[in-house]
Amino acid sequence: MPRRNRPGRDRPDRAERPDVGGTSGWAHSESGQDGDWLVRSVPGAHATKTYRCPGCDHEIRPGTPHVVVWPADETGSVADRRHWHRACWDARGRRRPTRRW
């Protein structure tokens, strides 16, 4: 029997499906000695701009998976978001942010 390549009547179209997982922009909270943070993973396919990691002061080039971090309290805003390499974010307790941050 041939396979159907079109969505069934009971399934929503791709545009109507809710976005799930790492591509949705959902953030999880992390606590550390430096406070509470909201952390969102950015897959390489969604990384389209160049950022500077405050942990190592190197560029995060387009296509590089990384994390976006901002304070978890109500005072955190869009201006408080920082893009980090995952390894730099995980090592922030052992290393301090660079002078540019």
Side-chain angles (χ1 to χ4, degrees), residues 38-95:
L38 293 175
V39 180
R40 182 185 67 169
S41 293
V42 179
H46 290 204
T48 59
K49 292 173 58 179
T50 300
Y51 298 98
R52 185 159 301 271
C53 175
C56 65
D57 199 33
H58 290 125
E59 288 184 345
I60 301 173
R61 296 185 182 250
T64 305
H66 61 282
V67 294
V68 179
V69 180
W70 64 95
D73 59 6
E74 292 82 30
T75 60
S77 69
V78 173
D80 297 323
R81 291 187 305 188
R82 297 290 179 261
H83 295 253
W84 291 69
H85 293 109
R86 169 51 80 180
C88 294
W89 174 251
D90 291 341
R92 73 188 186 283
R94 297 185 306 273
R95 299 183 338 198

Side-chain angles (χ1 to χ4, degrees), residues 8-57:
R9 294 178 192 254
D10 56 341
R11 294 189 315 186
D13 290 329
R14 182 173 170 81
E16 295 174 358
R17 288 185 205 154
D19 200 13
V20 296
T23 62
S24 67
W26 292 343
H28 68 275
S29 61
E30 289 186 18
S31 296
Q33 293 177 344
D34 55 351
D36 295 330
W37 301 91
L38 293 175
V39 180
R40 182 185 67 169
S41 293
V42 179
H46 290 204
T48 59
K49 292 173 58 179
T50 300
Y51 298 98
R52 185 159 301 271
C53 175
C56 65
D57 199 33

